[in-house]
Amino acid sequence: MHNNIKDDYEFFKKAVLSVSSSLDLSKAMITVFEFLRHYFPLEGLSLHTLNPDMNALHLLFLVTQEGFHNLDDLVPLQKADVRYLLSMEKNLESVLVPHSVERPVSVRHSAAISRYLPNRDRSYMVAILSSKKTAVGHLCLIGKKPKCF
């Protein structure tokens, strides 16, 4: 994606500008989605949090080519999936999922957003967002096809 430090700096600068482009969350996230589509084969961008007490993901929003979708949906998870996500959060690990159909969490996420994006195999890239080394959410880049990241 990048060839040198100058390219990395330019990418970072543009990413920060897109995130801070508006105080309106929906407008800012649409700008982020459009920016990232220049670098990644994206079909969607979503934000969710883990609610371990309810064994669920709380889907907050989804951005697609059609726009911003406010979700506020709970996606039930198996206890093993919650343990896996808690481990990711504890270590602040980002995850690349080449085939969404191979991970139960991705399968459930894809089904939950299927009214906006077709429910099919694709790549997921999930970044754990944190504040003071504490996970606060999962930013999910949703690819157009398997193995596209």
Side-chain angles (χ1 to χ4, degrees), residues 1-133:
M1 178 165 78
H2 304 298
N3 297 326
N4 59 41
I5 292 174
K6 183 178 178 185
D7 289 343
D8 289 344
Y9 173 75
E10 285 301 313
F11 177 84
F12 177 75
K13 185 171 103 175
K14 289 177 183 176
V16 169
L17 288 172
S18 67
V19 168
S20 60
S21 63
S22 175
L23 293 177
D24 180 306
L25 178 65
S26 62
K27 290 179 183 176
M29 291 299 99
I30 289 169
T31 301
V32 169
F33 176 72
E34 292 300 327
F35 166 73
L36 290 174
R37 281 178 38 156
H38 291 288
Y39 297 91
F40 302 101
L42 290 185
E43 194 166 44
L45 176 71
S46 74
L47 180 69
H48 53 268
T49 59
L50 176 63
N51 186 326
D53 295 330
M54 295 184 73
N55 291 319
L57 283 180
H58 182 198
L59 302 183
L60 302 172
F61 67 76
L62 171 69
V63 182
T64 65
Q65 189 171 348
E66 286 72 37
F68 184 90
H69 310 281
N70 189 27
L71 301 179
D72 195 26
D73 294 334
L74 288 177
V75 178
L77 299 174
Q78 298 294 318
K79 289 185 183 199
D81 299 327
V82 172
R83 285 191 300 273
Y84 168 72
L85 293 174
L86 284 170
S87 173
M88 278 178 48
E89 287 187 350
K90 179 182 177 188
N91 298 314
L92 301 177
E93 293 176 340
S94 294
V95 173
L96 178 61
V97 180
H99 289 278
S100 59
V101 296
E102 295 175 354
R103 294 278 177 94
V105 175
S106 301
V107 169
R108 291 176 185 276
H109 182 272
S110 191
I113 61 172
S114 64
R115 63 185 180 259
Y116 304 104
L117 292 174
N119 189 357
R120 65 171 189 263
D121 190 21
R122 57 171 54 93
S123 287
Y124 273 62
M125 188 183 317
V126 183
I128 302 299
L129 305 178
S130 64
S131 175
K132 297 183 181 180
K133 297 187 180 184

